[in-house]
PDB file of all heavy atoms in Angstrom:
ATOM      1  N   TYR A   1      -9.474  34.452 -50.507  1.00 98.00           N
ATOM      2  CA  TYR A   1      -9.211  35.785 -51.018  1.00 98.00           C
ATOM      3  C   TYR A   1      -9.560  35.813 -52.492  1.00 98.00           C
ATOM      4  O   TYR A   1      -9.631  34.764 -53.143  1.00 98.00           O
ATOM      5  CB  TYR A   1      -7.745  36.164 -50.851  1.00 98.00           C
ATOM      6  CG  TYR A   1      -7.297  36.441 -49.435  1.00 98.00           C
ATOM      7  CD1 TYR A   1      -7.138  35.414 -48.517  1.00 98.00           C
ATOM      8  CD2 TYR A   1      -7.010  37.740 -49.025  1.00 98.00           C
ATOM      9  CE1 TYR A   1      -6.714  35.671 -47.222  1.00 98.00           C
ATOM     10  CE2 TYR A   1      -6.575  38.004 -47.737  1.00 98.00           C
ATOM     11  CZ  TYR A   1      -6.427  36.969 -46.840  1.00 98.00           C
ATOM     12  OH  TYR A   1      -5.997  37.233 -45.563  1.00 98.00           O
ATOM     13  N   ARG A   2      -9.752  37.002 -53.019  1.00 98.00           N
ATOM     14  CA  ARG A   2      -9.957  37.117 -54.451  1.00 98.00           C
ATOM     15  C   ARG A   2      -9.249  38.353 -54.981  1.00 98.00           C
ATOM     16  O   ARG A   2      -9.032  39.326 -54.265  1.00 98.00           O
ATOM     17  CB  ARG A   2     -11.443  37.160 -54.818  1.00 98.00           C
ATOM     18  CG  ARG A   2     -12.178  38.407 -54.349  1.00 98.00           C
ATOM     19  CD  ARG A   2     -13.673  38.271 -54.630  1.00 98.00           C
ATOM     20  NE  ARG A   2     -14.413  39.439 -54.194  1.00 98.00           N
ATOM     21  CZ  ARG A   2     -15.733  39.523 -54.164  1.00 98.00           C
ATOM     22  NH1 ARG A   2     -16.477  38.484 -54.553  1.00 98.00           N
ATOM     23  NH2 ARG A   2     -16.318  40.640 -53.755  1.00 98.00           N
ATOM     24  N   GLN A   3      -8.891  38.294 -56.248  1.00 98.00           N
ATOM     25  CA  GLN A   3      -8.231  39.398 -56.910  1.00 98.00           C
ATOM     26  C   GLN A   3      -8.735  39.508 -58.335  1.00 98.00           C
ATOM     27  O   GLN A   3      -8.599  38.576 -59.127  1.00 98.00           O
ATOM     28  CB  GLN A   3      -6.717  39.218 -56.899  1.00 98.00           C
ATOM     29  CG  GLN A   3      -5.959  40.427 -57.423  1.00 98.00           C
ATOM     30  CD  GLN A   3      -4.477  40.333 -57.144  1.00 98.00           C
ATOM     31  OE1 GLN A   3      -3.912  39.243 -57.049  1.00 98.00           O
ATOM     32  NE2 GLN A   3      -3.830  41.479 -57.000  1.00 98.00           N
ATOM     33  N   ALA A   4      -9.329  40.646 -58.639  1.00 97.00           N
ATOM     34  CA  ALA A   4      -9.772  40.948 -59.987  1.00 97.00           C
ATOM     35  C   ALA A   4      -8.669  41.716 -60.708  1.00 97.00           C
ATOM     36  O   ALA A   4      -7.819  42.340 -60.069  1.00 97.00           O
ATOM     37  CB  ALA A   4     -11.057  41.767 -59.946  1.00 97.00           C
ATOM     38  N   PRO A   5      -8.667  41.690 -62.041  1.00 94.00           N
ATOM     39  CA  PRO A   5      -7.644  42.434 -62.785  1.00 94.00           C
ATOM     40  C   PRO A   5      -7.603  43.903 -62.386  1.00 94.00           C
ATOM     41  O   PRO A   5      -8.641  44.565 -62.317  1.00 94.00           O
ATOM     42  CB  PRO A   5      -8.082  42.269 -64.239  1.00 94.00           C
ATOM     43  CG  PRO A   5      -8.837  40.980 -64.252  1.00 94.00           C
ATOM     44  CD  PRO A   5      -9.564  40.948 -62.940  1.00 94.00           C
ATOM     45  N   GLY A   6      -6.406  44.401 -62.106  1.00 95.00           N
ATOM     46  CA  GLY A   6      -6.236  45.786 -61.725  1.00 95.00           C
ATOM     47  C   GLY A   6      -6.659  46.120 -60.311  1.00 95.00           C
ATOM     48  O   GLY A   6      -6.632  47.298 -59.927  1.00 95.00           O
ATOM     49  N   GLN A   7      -7.046  45.119 -59.538  1.00 96.00           N
ATOM     50  CA  GLN A   7      -7.524  45.333 -58.182  1.00 96.00           C
ATOM     51  C   GLN A   7      -6.582  44.697 -57.171  1.00 96.00           C
ATOM     52  O   GLN A   7      -5.789  43.823 -57.507  1.00 96.00           O
ATOM     53  CB  GLN A   7      -8.925  44.743 -58.001  1.00 96.00           C
ATOM     54  CG  GLN A   7      -9.970  45.278 -58.952  1.00 96.00           C
ATOM     55  CD  GLN A   7     -10.330  46.715 -58.663  1.00 96.00           C
ATOM     56  OE1 GLN A   7     -10.415  47.124 -57.507  1.00 96.00           O
ATOM     57  NE2 GLN A   7     -10.542  47.488 -59.716  1.00 96.00           N
ATOM     58  N   GLN A   8      -6.680  45.154 -55.933  1.00 97.00           N
ATOM     59  CA  GLN A   8      -5.931  44.538 -54.855  1.00 97.00           C
ATOM     60  C   GLN A   8      -6.596  43.233 -54.435  1.00 97.00           C
ATOM     61  O   GLN A   8      -7.801  43.055 -54.593  1.00 97.00           O
ATOM     62  CB  GLN A   8      -5.863  45.469 -53.640  1.00 97.00           C
ATOM     63  CG  GLN A   8      -5.009  46.701 -53.832  1.00 97.00           C
ATOM     64  CD  GLN A   8      -4.891  47.493 -52.554  1.00 97.00           C
ATOM     65  OE1 GLN A   8      -5.458  48.568 -52.426  1.00 97.00           O
ATOM     66  NE2 GLN A   8      -4.148  46.955 -51.595  1.00 97.00           N
ATOM     67  N   ARG A   9      -5.780  42.339 -53.910  1.00 97.00           N
ATOM     68  CA  ARG A   9      -6.330  41.119 -53.360  1.00 97.00           C
ATOM     69  C   ARG A   9      -7.104  41.442 -52.078  1.00 97.00           C
ATOM     70  O   ARG A   9      -6.622  42.188 -51.224  1.00 97.00           O
ATOM     71  CB  ARG A   9      -5.213  40.121 -53.068  1.00 97.00           C
ATOM     72  CG  ARG A   9      -5.707  38.745 -52.666  1.00 97.00           C
ATOM     73  CD  ARG A   9      -4.564  37.743 -52.560  1.00 97.00           C
ATOM     74  NE  ARG A   9      -3.897  37.553 -53.844  1.00 97.00           N
ATOM     75  CZ  ARG A   9      -2.976  36.627 -54.069  1.00 97.00           C
ATOM     76  NH1 ARG A   9      -2.611  35.789 -53.105  1.00 97.00           N
ATOM     77  NH2 ARG A   9      -2.417  36.539 -55.262  1.00 97.00           N
ATOM     78  N   GLU A  10      -8.300  40.895 -51.953  1.00 98.00           N
ATOM     79  CA  GLU A  10      -9.123  41.162 -50.787  1.00 98.00           C
ATOM     80  C   GLU A  10      -9.578  39.872 -50.131  1.00 98.00           C
ATOM     81  O   GLU A  10      -9.796  38.858 -50.799  1.00 98.00           O
ATOM     82  CB  GLU A  10     -10.347  42.015 -51.156  1.00 98.00           C
ATOM     83  CG  GLU A  10     -11.340  41.330 -52.076  1.00 98.00           C
ATOM     84  CD  GLU A  10     -12.591  42.156 -52.319  1.00 98.00           C
ATOM     85  OE1 GLU A  10     -12.785  43.187 -51.648  1.00 98.00           O
ATOM     86  OE2 GLU A  10     -13.388  41.761 -53.201  1.00 98.00           O
ATOM     87  N   LEU A  11      -9.743  39.945 -48.826  1.00 98.00           N
ATOM     88  CA  LEU A  11     -10.255  38.812 -48.074  1.00 98.00           C
ATOM     89  C   LEU A  11     -11.755  38.721 -48.285  1.00 98.00           C
ATOM     90  O   LEU A  11     -12.487  39.680 -48.048  1.00 98.00           O
ATOM     91  CB  LEU A  11      -9.937  38.977 -46.591  1.00 98.00           C
ATOM     92  CG  LEU A  11     -10.463  37.895 -45.647  1.00 98.00           C
ATOM     93  CD1 LEU A  11      -9.839  36.540 -45.968  1.00 98.00           C
ATOM     94  CD2 LEU A  11     -10.186  38.277 -44.199  1.00 98.00           C
ATOM     95  N   VAL A  12     -12.204  37.562 -48.718  1.00 98.00           N
ATOM     96  CA  VAL A  12     -13.617  37.321 -48.953  1.00 98.00           C
ATOM     97  C   VAL A  12     -14.277  36.690 -47.735  1.00 98.00           C
ATOM     98  O   VAL A  12     -15.347  37.112 -47.294  1.00 98.00           O
ATOM     99  CB  VAL A  12     -13.820  36.418 -50.184  1.00 98.00           C
ATOM    100  CG1 VAL A  12     -15.297  36.088 -50.384  1.00 98.00           C
ATOM    101  CG2 VAL A  12     -13.244  37.091 -51.427  1.00 98.00           C
ATOM    102  N   ALA A  13     -13.649  35.656 -47.211  1.00 98.00           N
ATOM    103  CA  ALA A  13     -14.196  34.935 -46.074  1.00 98.00           C
ATOM    104  C   ALA A  13     -13.079  34.205 -45.359  1.00 98.00           C
ATOM    105  O   ALA A  13     -12.110  33.777 -45.986  1.00 98.00           O
ATOM    106  CB  ALA A  13     -15.273  33.933 -46.521  1.00 98.00           C
ATOM    107  N   SER A  14     -13.217  34.056 -44.059  1.00 98.00           N
ATOM    108  CA  SER A  14     -12.236  33.322 -43.284  1.00 98.00           C
ATOM    109  C   SER A  14     -12.936  32.454 -42.265  1.00 98.00           C
ATOM    110  O   SER A  14     -14.081  32.710 -41.880  1.00 98.00           O
ATOM    111  CB  SER A  14     -11.249  34.267 -42.591  1.00 98.00           C
ATOM    112  OG  SER A  14     -11.909  35.115 -41.677  1.00 98.00           O
ATOM    113  N   ILE A  15     -12.230  31.439 -41.824  1.00 98.00           N
ATOM    114  CA  ILE A  15     -12.752  30.552 -40.794  1.00 98.00           C
ATOM    115  C   ILE A  15     -11.604  30.159 -39.880  1.00 98.00           C
ATOM    116  O   ILE A  15     -10.537  29.745 -40.326  1.00 98.00           O
ATOM    117  CB  ILE A  15     -13.461  29.320 -41.416  1.00 98.00           C
ATOM    118  CG1 ILE A  15     -14.093  28.452 -40.329  1.00 98.00           C
ATOM    119  CG2 ILE A  15     -12.523  28.521 -42.314  1.00 98.00           C
ATOM    120  CD1 ILE A  15     -15.099  27.444 -40.889  1.00 98.00           C
ATOM    121  N   SER A  16     -11.816  30.315 -38.587  1.00 98.00           N
ATOM    122  CA  SER A  16     -10.782  30.015 -37.617  1.00 98.00           C
ATOM    123  C   SER A  16     -10.698  28.519 -37.368  1.00 98.00           C
ATOM    124  O   SER A  16     -11.534  27.732 -37.816  1.00 98.00           O
ATOM    125  CB  SER A  16     -11.056  30.748 -36.305  1.00 98.00           C
ATOM    126  OG  SER A  16     -12.139  30.149 -35.617  1.00 98.00           O
ATOM    127  N   SER A  17      -9.672  28.127 -36.615  1.00 97.00           N
ATOM    128  CA  SER A  17      -9.542  26.725 -36.240  1.00 97.00           C
ATOM    129  C   SER A  17     -10.718  26.249 -35.396  1.00 97.00           C
ATOM    130  O   SER A  17     -11.023  25.055 -35.386  1.00 97.00           O
ATOM    131  CB  SER A  17      -8.229  26.499 -35.494  1.00 97.00           C
ATOM    132  OG  SER A  17      -8.172  27.271 -34.310  1.00 97.00           O
ATOM    133  N   ALA A  18     -11.373  27.173 -34.701  1.00 96.00           N
ATOM    134  CA  ALA A  18     -12.543  26.853 -33.894  1.00 96.00           C
ATOM    135  C   ALA A  18     -13.843  26.886 -34.686  1.00 96.00           C
ATOM    136  O   ALA A  18     -14.898  26.560 -34.144  1.00 96.00           O
ATOM    137  CB  ALA A  18     -12.643  27.802 -32.705  1.00 96.00           C
ATOM    138  N   GLY A  19     -13.775  27.310 -35.949  1.00 97.00           N
ATOM    139  CA  GLY A  19     -14.961  27.346 -36.779  1.00 97.00           C
ATOM    140  C   GLY A  19     -15.664  28.682 -36.838  1.00 97.00           C
ATOM    141  O   GLY A  19     -16.744  28.785 -37.444  1.00 97.00           O
ATOM    142  N   ASN A  20     -15.099  29.722 -36.243  1.00 98.00           N
ATOM    143  CA  ASN A  20     -15.680  31.054 -36.331  1.00 98.00           C
ATOM    144  C   ASN A  20     -15.451  31.624 -37.722  1.00 98.00           C
ATOM    145  O   ASN A  20     -14.359  31.503 -38.278  1.00 98.00           O
ATOM    146  CB  ASN A  20     -15.067  31.981 -35.290  1.00 98.00           C
ATOM    147  CG  ASN A  20     -15.199  31.456 -33.881  1.00 98.00           C
ATOM    148  OD1 ASN A  20     -14.211  31.273 -33.171  1.00 98.00           O
ATOM    149  ND2 ASN A  20     -16.438  31.206 -33.461  1.00 98.00           N
ATOM    150  N   THR A  21     -16.459  32.265 -38.272  1.00 98.00           N
ATOM    151  CA  THR A  21     -16.381  32.760 -39.639  1.00 98.00           C
ATOM    152  C   THR A  21     -16.471  34.272 -39.707  1.00 98.00           C
ATOM    153  O   THR A  21     -17.035  34.921 -38.829  1.00 98.00           O
ATOM    154  CB  THR A  21     -17.492  32.155 -40.508  1.00 98.00           C
ATOM    155  OG1 THR A  21     -18.772  32.482 -39.948  1.00 98.00           O
ATOM    156  CG2 THR A  21     -17.353  30.642 -40.578  1.00 98.00           C
ATOM    157  N   ASN A  22     -15.918  34.813 -40.784  1.00 98.00           N
ATOM    158  CA  ASN A  22     -15.965  36.237 -41.049  1.00 98.00           C
ATOM    159  C   ASN A  22     -16.103  36.430 -42.550  1.00 98.00           C
ATOM    160  O   ASN A  22     -15.506  35.690 -43.328  1.00 98.00           O
ATOM    161  CB  ASN A  22     -14.693  36.924 -40.549  1.00 98.00           C
ATOM    162  CG  ASN A  22     -14.753  38.424 -40.677  1.00 98.00           C
ATOM    163  OD1 ASN A  22     -15.513  39.089 -39.990  1.00 98.00           O
ATOM    164  ND2 ASN A  22     -13.941  38.982 -41.571  1.00 98.00           N
ATOM    165  N   TYR A  23     -16.900  37.437 -42.948  1.00 98.00           N
ATOM    166  CA  TYR A  23     -17.162  37.678 -44.355  1.00 98.00           C
ATOM    167  C   TYR A  23     -16.981  39.134 -44.717  1.00 98.00           C
ATOM    168  O   TYR A  23     -17.286  40.031 -43.926  1.00 98.00           O
ATOM    169  CB  TYR A  23     -18.595  37.280 -44.719  1.00 98.00           C
ATOM    170  CG  TYR A  23     -18.885  35.821 -44.528  1.00 98.00           C
ATOM    171  CD1 TYR A  23     -19.420  35.352 -43.337  1.00 98.00           C
ATOM    172  CD2 TYR A  23     -18.617  34.905 -45.545  1.00 98.00           C
ATOM    173  CE1 TYR A  23     -19.679  34.007 -43.153  1.00 98.00           C
ATOM    174  CE2 TYR A  23     -18.874  33.560 -45.369  1.00 98.00           C
ATOM    175  CZ  TYR A  23     -19.406  33.116 -44.176  1.00 98.00           C
ATOM    176  OH  TYR A  23     -19.666  31.777 -44.005  1.00 98.00           O
ATOM    177  N   GLU A  24     -16.500  39.368 -45.922  1.00 98.00           N
ATOM    178  CA  GLU A  24     -16.490  40.706 -46.476  1.00 98.00           C
ATOM    179  C   GLU A  24     -17.949  41.137 -46.668  1.00 98.00           C
ATOM    180  O   GLU A  24     -18.802  40.323 -47.032  1.00 98.00           O
ATOM    181  CB  GLU A  24     -15.730  40.708 -47.797  1.00 98.00           C
ATOM    182  CG  GLU A  24     -15.269  42.075 -48.273  1.00 98.00           C
ATOM    183  CD  GLU A  24     -16.345  42.816 -49.021  1.00 98.00           C
ATOM    184  OE1 GLU A  24     -17.131  42.176 -49.743  1.00 98.00           O
ATOM    185  OE2 GLU A  24     -16.398  44.054 -48.877  1.00 98.00           O
ATOM    186  N   ASN A  25     -18.226  42.397 -46.430  1.00 98.00           N
ATOM    187  CA  ASN A  25     -19.609  42.857 -46.409  1.00 98.00           C
ATOM    188  C   ASN A  25     -20.373  42.562 -47.705  1.00 98.00           C
ATOM    189  O   ASN A  25     -21.562  42.219 -47.657  1.00 98.00           O
ATOM    190  CB  ASN A  25     -19.680  44.348 -46.109  1.00 98.00           C
ATOM    191  CG  ASN A  25     -19.412  44.668 -44.661  1.00 98.00           C
ATOM    192  OD1 ASN A  25     -19.601  43.831 -43.783  1.00 98.00           O
ATOM    193  ND2 ASN A  25     -18.975  45.884 -44.396  1.00 98.00           N
ATOM    194  N   SER A  26     -19.714  42.674 -48.832  1.00 98.00           N
ATOM    195  CA  SER A  26     -20.401  42.522 -50.101  1.00 98.00           C
ATOM    196  C   SER A  26     -20.847  41.087 -50.378  1.00 98.00           C
ATOM    197  O   SER A  26     -21.674  40.865 -51.262  1.00 98.00           O
ATOM    198  CB  SER A  26     -19.527  43.018 -51.254  1.00 98.00           C
ATOM    199  OG  SER A  26     -18.407  42.182 -51.452  1.00 98.00           O
ATOM    200  N   VAL A  27     -20.314  40.125 -49.643  1.00 98.00           N
ATOM    201  CA  VAL A  27     -20.688  38.731 -49.873  1.00 98.00           C
ATOM    202  C   VAL A  27     -21.521  38.148 -48.739  1.00 98.00           C
ATOM    203  O   VAL A  27     -21.976  37.000 -48.845  1.00 98.00           O
ATOM    204  CB  VAL A  27     -19.458  37.832 -50.125  1.00 98.00           C
ATOM    205  CG1 VAL A  27     -18.575  38.422 -51.217  1.00 98.00           C
ATOM    206  CG2 VAL A  27     -18.665  37.586 -48.851  1.00 98.00           C
ATOM    207  N   LYS A  28     -21.746  38.912 -47.696  1.00 98.00           N
ATOM    208  CA  LYS A  28     -22.553  38.422 -46.577  1.00 98.00           C
ATOM    209  C   LYS A  28     -23.946  38.043 -47.055  1.00 98.00           C
ATOM    210  O   LYS A  28     -24.591  38.783 -47.784  1.00 98.00           O
ATOM    211  CB  LYS A  28     -22.658  39.474 -45.475  1.00 98.00           C
ATOM    212  CG  LYS A  28     -21.414  39.604 -44.627  1.00 98.00           C
ATOM    213  CD  LYS A  28     -21.625  40.616 -43.507  1.00 98.00           C
ATOM    214  CE  LYS A  28     -20.390  40.706 -42.619  1.00 98.00           C
ATOM    215  NZ  LYS A  28     -20.554  41.722 -41.558  1.00 98.00           N
ATOM    216  N   GLY A  29     -24.389  36.881 -46.628  1.00 98.00           N
ATOM    217  CA  GLY A  29     -25.693  36.387 -47.031  1.00 98.00           C
ATOM    218  C   GLY A  29     -25.688  35.638 -48.337  1.00 98.00           C
ATOM    219  O   GLY A  29     -26.688  34.996 -48.684  1.00 98.00           O
ATOM    220  N   ARG A  30     -24.596  35.710 -49.083  1.00 98.00           N
ATOM    221  CA  ARG A  30     -24.499  35.023 -50.368  1.00 98.00           C
ATOM    222  C   ARG A  30     -23.459  33.910 -50.362  1.00 98.00           C
ATOM    223  O   ARG A  30     -23.642  32.895 -51.024  1.00 98.00           O
ATOM    224  CB  ARG A  30     -24.148  36.013 -51.485  1.00 98.00           C
ATOM    225  CG  ARG A  30     -25.174  37.115 -51.669  1.00 98.00           C
ATOM    226  CD  ARG A  30     -24.897  37.926 -52.932  1.00 98.00           C
ATOM    227  NE  ARG A  30     -23.609  38.608 -52.883  1.00 98.00           N
ATOM    228  CZ  ARG A  30     -22.621  38.424 -53.755  1.00 98.00           C
ATOM    229  NH1 ARG A  30     -22.771  37.576 -54.762  1.00 98.00           N
ATOM    230  NH2 ARG A  30     -21.489  39.102 -53.635  1.00 98.00           N
ATOM    231  N   PHE A  31     -22.359  34.117 -49.636  1.00 98.00           N
ATOM    232  CA  PHE A  31     -21.265  33.148 -49.589  1.00 98.00           C
ATOM    233  C   PHE A  31     -21.211  32.488 -48.220  1.00 98.00           C
ATOM    234  O   PHE A  31     -21.512  33.119 -47.198  1.00 98.00           O
ATOM    235  CB  PHE A  31     -19.918  33.826 -49.836  1.00 98.00           C
ATOM    236  CG  PHE A  31     -19.690  34.334 -51.230  1.00 98.00           C
ATOM    237  CD1 PHE A  31     -20.700  34.390 -52.176  1.00 98.00           C
ATOM    238  CD2 PHE A  31     -18.418  34.768 -51.596  1.00 98.00           C
ATOM    239  CE1 PHE A  31     -20.476  34.869 -53.457  1.00 98.00           C
ATOM    240  CE2 PHE A  31     -18.177  35.247 -52.872  1.00 98.00           C
ATOM    241  CZ  PHE A  31     -19.202  35.297 -53.803  1.00 98.00           C
ATOM    242  N   THR A  32     -20.794  31.241 -48.199  1.00 98.00           N
ATOM    243  CA  THR A  32     -20.621  30.510 -46.954  1.00 98.00           C
ATOM    244  C   THR A  32     -19.305  29.754 -46.982  1.00 98.00           C
ATOM    245  O   THR A  32     -19.062  28.962 -47.894  1.00 98.00           O
ATOM    246  CB  THR A  32     -21.765  29.510 -46.718  1.00 98.00           C
ATOM    247  OG1 THR A  32     -23.020  30.190 -46.746  1.00 98.00           O
ATOM    248  CG2 THR A  32     -21.603  28.819 -45.360  1.00 98.00           C
ATOM    249  N   ILE A  33     -18.464  30.008 -45.987  1.00 98.00           N
ATOM    250  CA  ILE A  33     -17.212  29.277 -45.857  1.00 98.00           C
ATOM    251  C   ILE A  33     -17.403  28.166 -44.833  1.00 98.00           C
ATOM    252  O   ILE A  33     -18.102  28.337 -43.830  1.00 98.00           O
ATOM    253  CB  ILE A  33     -16.046  30.211 -45.466  1.00 98.00           C
ATOM    254  CG1 ILE A  33     -14.705  29.473 -45.534  1.00 98.00           C
ATOM    255  CG2 ILE A  33     -16.262  30.829 -44.089  1.00 98.00           C
ATOM    256  CD1 ILE A  33     -13.487  30.384 -45.368  1.00 98.00           C
ATOM    257  N   SER A  34     -16.797  27.028 -45.090  1.00 98.00           N
ATOM    258  CA  SER A  34     -16.871  25.911 -44.164  1.00 98.00           C
ATOM    259  C   SER A  34     -15.572  25.120 -44.230  1.00 98.00           C
ATOM    260  O   SER A  34     -14.775  25.289 -45.158  1.00 98.00           O
ATOM    261  CB  SER A  34     -18.071  25.008 -44.472  1.00 98.00           C
ATOM    262  OG  SER A  34     -17.977  24.463 -45.773  1.00 98.00           O
ATOM    263  N   ARG A  35     -15.365  24.277 -43.235  1.00 98.00           N
ATOM    264  CA  ARG A  35     -14.172  23.439 -43.238  1.00 98.00           C
ATOM    265  C   ARG A  35     -14.529  22.029 -42.825  1.00 98.00           C
ATOM    266  O   ARG A  35     -15.427  21.809 -42.005  1.00 98.00           O
ATOM    267  CB  ARG A  35     -13.070  24.020 -42.336  1.00 98.00           C
ATOM    268  CG  ARG A  35     -13.372  24.041 -40.847  1.00 98.00           C
ATOM    269  CD  ARG A  35     -12.318  24.869 -40.085  1.00 98.00           C
ATOM    270  NE  ARG A  35     -10.986  24.302 -40.227  1.00 98.00           N
ATOM    271  CZ  ARG A  35      -9.852  24.997 -40.093  1.00 98.00           C
ATOM    272  NH1 ARG A  35      -9.904  26.303 -39.818  1.00 98.00           N
ATOM    273  NH2 ARG A  35      -8.684  24.394 -40.233  1.00 98.00           N
ATOM    274  N   ASP A  36     -13.824  21.082 -43.397  1.00 98.00           N
ATOM    275  CA  ASP A  36     -13.960  19.680 -43.067  1.00 98.00           C
ATOM    276  C   ASP A  36     -12.575  19.198 -42.675  1.00 98.00           C
ATOM    277  O   ASP A  36     -11.739  18.899 -43.527  1.00 98.00           O
ATOM    278  CB  ASP A  36     -14.506  18.892 -44.251  1.00 98.00           C
ATOM    279  CG  ASP A  36     -14.791  17.441 -43.924  1.00 98.00           C
ATOM    280  OD1 ASP A  36     -14.255  16.926 -42.923  1.00 98.00           O
ATOM    281  OD2 ASP A  36     -15.552  16.809 -44.673  1.00 98.00           O
ATOM    282  N   ASN A  37     -12.329  19.153 -41.374  1.00 97.00           N
ATOM    283  CA  ASN A  37     -10.993  18.803 -40.899  1.00 97.00           C
ATOM    284  C   ASN A  37     -10.613  17.362 -41.234  1.00 97.00           C
ATOM    285  O   ASN A  37      -9.436  17.054 -41.399  1.00 97.00           O
ATOM    286  CB  ASN A  37     -10.893  19.034 -39.396  1.00 97.00           C
ATOM    287  CG  ASN A  37     -10.856  20.505 -39.033  1.00 97.00           C
ATOM    288  OD1 ASN A  37     -10.626  21.369 -39.883  1.00 97.00           O
ATOM    289  ND2 ASN A  37     -11.091  20.808 -37.762  1.00 97.00           N
ATOM    290  N   ALA A  38     -11.599  16.485 -41.328  1.00 97.00           N
ATOM    291  CA  ALA A  38     -11.317  15.098 -41.684  1.00 97.00           C
ATOM    292  C   ALA A  38     -10.782  14.971 -43.099  1.00 97.00           C
ATOM    293  O   ALA A  38     -10.060  14.024 -43.414  1.00 97.00           O
ATOM    294  CB  ALA A  38     -12.568  14.238 -41.508  1.00 97.00           C
ATOM    295  N   LYS A  39     -11.146  15.912 -43.964  1.00 98.00           N
ATOM    296  CA  LYS A  39     -10.701  15.902 -45.348  1.00 98.00           C
ATOM    297  C   LYS A  39      -9.617  16.932 -45.638  1.00 98.00           C
ATOM    298  O   LYS A  39      -9.177  17.051 -46.785  1.00 98.00           O
ATOM    299  CB  LYS A  39     -11.882  16.144 -46.284  1.00 98.00           C
ATOM    300  CG  LYS A  39     -12.916  15.043 -46.279  1.00 98.00           C
ATOM    301  CD  LYS A  39     -14.014  15.330 -47.288  1.00 98.00           C
ATOM    302  CE  LYS A  39     -15.015  14.197 -47.339  1.00 98.00           C
ATOM    303  NZ  LYS A  39     -16.087  14.463 -48.321  1.00 98.00           N
ATOM    304  N   ASN A  40      -9.195  17.681 -44.626  1.00 98.00           N
ATOM    305  CA  ASN A  40      -8.218  18.761 -44.805  1.00 98.00           C
ATOM    306  C   ASN A  40      -8.648  19.702 -45.926  1.00 98.00           C
ATOM    307  O   ASN A  40      -7.846  20.092 -46.785  1.00 98.00           O
ATOM    308  CB  ASN A  40      -6.827  18.199 -45.096  1.00 98.00           C
ATOM    309  CG  ASN A  40      -6.171  17.581 -43.877  1.00 98.00           C
ATOM    310  OD1 ASN A  40      -6.734  17.550 -42.789  1.00 98.00           O
ATOM    311  ND2 ASN A  40      -4.965  17.076 -44.057  1.00 98.00           N
TER     312      ASN A  40
END
């Protein structure tokens, strides 16, 4: 999530336990979320 001064906190990207990802429209194609379960 991210929060700019004077703004609401917004979800930027998420990843499920199965590895499915979701992105806020403004960051699609620019941001990539990933997880490494071995490293928590």
Side-chain angles (χ1 to χ4, degrees):
Y1 288 73
R2 67 186 180 189
Q3 187 168 28
Q7 303 290 322
Q8 291 185 251
R9 188 173 298 188
E10 66 175 351
L11 177 63
V12 176
S14 62
I15 184 165
S16 73
S17 60
N20 304 123
T21 59
N22 186 69
Y23 297 93
E24 198 276 325
N25 285 336
S26 68
V27 308
K28 284 183 178 178
R30 299 190 298 121
F31 291 10
T32 304
I33 188 171
S34 61
R35 66 190 298 156
D36 185 341
N37 288 345
K39 294 183 177 180
N40 287 0

